[in-house]
Amino acid sequence: MSNYDQLTAHYQTINHFNHAQSMLGWDAAANMPSGGNDARSQAMAELSVHIHRLSTQPQLEEWFGGAQQESLSAEQQSSLREMKRQWQQATIVPEDLVQAQSIAGSKCEHAWRSQRQENDWIGFEKNWKEVVKLSREEAKIRGEALGLSPYDAMLDKYEPGTTTASLDALFSDVKSWLPELIEKVLQKQQSQSIIMPSGTFSTANQKALGLETMKLLKFDFDHGRLDQSVHPFCGGVPSDVRITTRYDEKDFVQALMGIVHETGHARYEQGLPKAFSGLPVGEARSMGVHESQSLFFEMQIGRSKPFISHLSRLSANAFNAHKDPVFAEENLYKIYTQVEKGFIRVDADELTYPAHVIMRYEIERDLINGVIEHTDVPALWDEKMKASLGLSTKGDYKNGCMQDIHWTDGAFGYFPSYTLGAMYAAQYKATMQNTVDIDAAIQSGDLSPIFKWLSDNIWSQASLHTTDELIKRATGETLNAAHFKKHLETRYL
């Protein structure tokens, strides 16, 4: 076997263990009884160590050296680059740190589920302290190996090639126009009357509505399923994608759009090229590109007038409420485009959402770079919420710095992906409009032309190109936030 073939066989093996790990994680979030957590954490930590050992075996260095001398096709060269990237990411971090992080993260996240409900910062802080300490260790080790600042090294895990310098510039631009735009839209919406949902919307009916909506979005039910969990997510593997949402029987609005969002993630996974299945080059390009798919589905398709017309019909059917004005097209559109300054990121509207992301980015950047301590976070959170959205979270940890799952297990560097994703999505739409009549496709109920564009330009490309190359090939330019600003102004003003 050539060195390249030995590498691909080895990475297929690693992929099988990642598959198992992913399913264990999904089950822990969607099905596992709380008493199973300690044993599950140990099992998953053991599996993490095993995957880490496979990813750092001594012969890999020799194979990479040899493979670079072999004559490879352009696609094989991309594949080699991505395997090497994963190998470098793995070999940087020592095994004992990987294990310690897995255990500290599982412990902190599991306790957080009840601590958040109880607004228990003191209890949370005791566990989180260790997660932050280990994440800083990881960031320092990665930074030294890659020649990056600690936070840039964490960013590199989720957004290869993205730096603090580029994000600082991007986000300071957004901060220069977003507050004024929010105020203008709030002013404009002041006079509109909205009928909000009231009464009970059973979980069973909401789930049925979600499944109908997933069919409209061409989710492949032979290779995936919908469940419920505390925090909506998309997990599993491309051949078996698991998405979850959370239901509130007093309000169907959030869960439904949550399903549209997670279906975007799922369609990307289901659309990855089979030819590279199980290899790093066959995986999603970055978390920002992943979010661009969920946000294309949620924001560009899901909150558009023609799609809301479908939701109006489907939801009136699901709740047997054809005469209820809540489900009228105009009213649903107002609900889904209502702008409101709120505390919770996952419930935020499209317009205020970037403000939530930017403040988290600024806090985690300074936390990982050692500029602030983890105990400074609640006060900083309050200060930044007041500055960006005029809301105070003093003493309100559950609606403040304890609201997200990301930091509980050390996923520092992830938050920027959300706003990068929203920007990419707006840019795809601006380009797609040149060749696809988007509104007509949505209206007809056959969204295939939209999905074909996404498949040709994004899904089928997996990680063959760098993020910048991928976006440039798809849209003719690298990331340009002007498309995002224009999208928001067009929809809301």
Side-chain angles (χ1 to χ4, degrees), residues 5-267:
D5 288 340
Q6 283 177 295
L7 284 167
T8 57
H10 189 77
Y11 275 88
Q12 296 277 10
T13 301
I14 292 173
N15 177 62
H16 294 146
F17 286 103
N18 280 327
H19 180 152
Q21 180 83 305
S22 180
M23 290 307 172
L24 285 173
W26 163 81
D27 177 75
N31 293 316
M32 186 185 74
S34 60
N37 189 62
D38 286 349
R40 179 66 55 91
S41 299
Q42 295 293 336
M44 287 180 76
E46 185 74 37
L47 196 46
S48 293
V49 169
H50 181 69
I51 292 167
H52 189 256
R53 279 181 192 154
L54 282 174
S55 307
T56 54
Q57 284 186 351
Q59 73 271 28
L60 290 172
E61 187 166 7
E62 193 184 311
W63 289 348
F64 279 115
Q68 273 165 329
Q69 309 307 312
E70 292 166 0
S71 70
L72 302 174
S73 69
E75 285 183 344
Q76 288 173 324
Q77 282 170 357
S78 295
S79 181
L80 182 63
R81 178 195 71 219
E82 292 303 312
M83 288 189 283
K84 191 167 185 183
R85 181 183 140 68
Q86 287 200 1
W87 171 65
Q88 285 170 327
Q89 289 279 7
T91 47
I92 290 170
V93 183
E95 192 179 291
D96 56 352
L97 179 55
V98 172
Q99 192 166 14
Q101 283 184 298
S102 178
I103 291 169
S106 287
K107 182 183 172 189
C108 183
E109 187 212 313
H110 188 70
W112 162 81
R113 289 165 192 262
S114 51
Q115 287 164 344
R116 184 189 170 198
Q117 301 305 319
E118 291 151 15
N119 199 40
D120 177 12
W121 164 257
I122 292 168
F124 175 73
E125 182 272 327
K126 288 193 184 94
N127 289 332
W128 195 46
K129 181 181 183 178
E130 183 65 11
V131 173
V132 172
K133 177 180 150 273
L134 296 171
S135 294
R136 280 175 164 176
E137 255 174 70
E138 179 195 351
K140 184 171 177 283
I141 292 167
R142 285 185 184 282
E144 283 167 1
L146 298 168
L148 297 170
S149 72
Y151 184 71
D152 277 5
M154 295 300 266
L155 266 181
D156 191 65
K157 285 166 60 176
Y158 305 108
E159 293 302 319
T162 299
T163 61
T164 307
S166 66
L167 289 178
D168 284 347
L170 195 64
F171 289 159
S172 68
D173 170 52
V174 174
K175 282 167 83 172
S176 74
W177 53 260
L178 187 64
E180 190 189 343
L181 183 57
I182 292 172
E183 293 309 324
K184 269 188 193 165
V185 174
L186 286 172
Q187 202 61 41
K188 181 178 181 235
Q189 290 188 354
Q190 230 173 10
S191 57
Q192 74 177 14
S193 61
I194 299 183
I195 306 160
M196 294 309 284
S198 62
T200 302
F201 304 94
S202 76
T203 294
N205 286 349
Q206 288 195 59
K207 183 167 184 180
L209 170 60
L211 293 169
E212 283 302 314
T213 307
M214 288 163 74
K215 277 182 204 158
L216 184 59
L217 294 168
K218 296 200 179 328
F219 180 90
D220 177 358
F221 287 96
D222 288 334
H223 293 98
R225 54 180 285 151
L226 169 69
D227 293 277
Q228 67 190 98
S229 66
V230 176
H231 197 92
F233 69 93
C234 173
V237 292
S239 58
D240 182 5
V241 182
R242 306 297 174 92
I243 69 172
T244 68
T245 193
R246 53 173 166 213
Y247 300 105
D248 171 355
E249 297 208 326
K250 291 186 177 60
D251 174 28
F252 68 93
V253 170
Q254 292 289 352
L256 180 55
M257 206 44 89
I259 288 172
V260 173
H261 179 97
E262 298 306 334
T263 301
H265 281 305
R267 288 294 318 270

Side-chain angles (χ1 to χ4, degrees), residues 280-397:
V281 75
E283 292 169 12
R285 174 59 280 177
S286 74
M287 290 332 294
V289 176
H290 228 309
E291 288 302 329
S292 77
Q293 298 312 294
S294 55
L295 291 169
F296 192 92
F297 273 57
E298 181 191 347
M299 301 304 180
Q300 303 298 335
I301 298 175
R303 291 175 200 262
S304 69
K305 277 191 170 146
F307 194 78
I308 288 196
S309 157
H310 291 296
L311 293 185
S312 160
R313 173 178 50 82
L314 292 171
S315 50
N317 288 345
F319 303 114
N320 199 8
H322 297 278
K323 298 219 162 60
D324 189 335
V326 165
F327 301 106
E329 211 173 301
E330 257 320 287
N331 191 61
L332 265 191
Y333 183 72
K334 284 180 191 168
I335 290 176
Y336 277 122
T337 52
Q338 188 183 16
V339 173
E340 209 176 339
K341 295 176 176 180
F343 291 100
I344 305 296
R345 175 186 63 84
V346 294
D347 295 342
D349 54 81
E350 185 178 22
L351 197 54
T352 58
Y353 198 97
H356 290 273
V357 168
I358 292 169
M359 60 172 272
R360 284 160 174 75
Y361 158 70
E362 291 170 347
I363 291 172
E364 67 176 16
R365 174 196 66 197
D366 291 351
L367 181 64
I368 294 299
N369 285 337
V371 178
I372 59 170
E373 291 309 318
H374 75 287
T375 45
D376 300 328
V377 170
L380 268 172
W381 192 283
D382 178 49
E383 181 190 306
K384 287 180 185 289
M385 274 301 275
K386 281 195 286 216
S388 61
L389 293 168
L391 300 169
S392 171
T393 56
K394 198 173 169 64
D396 183 5
Y397 307 106

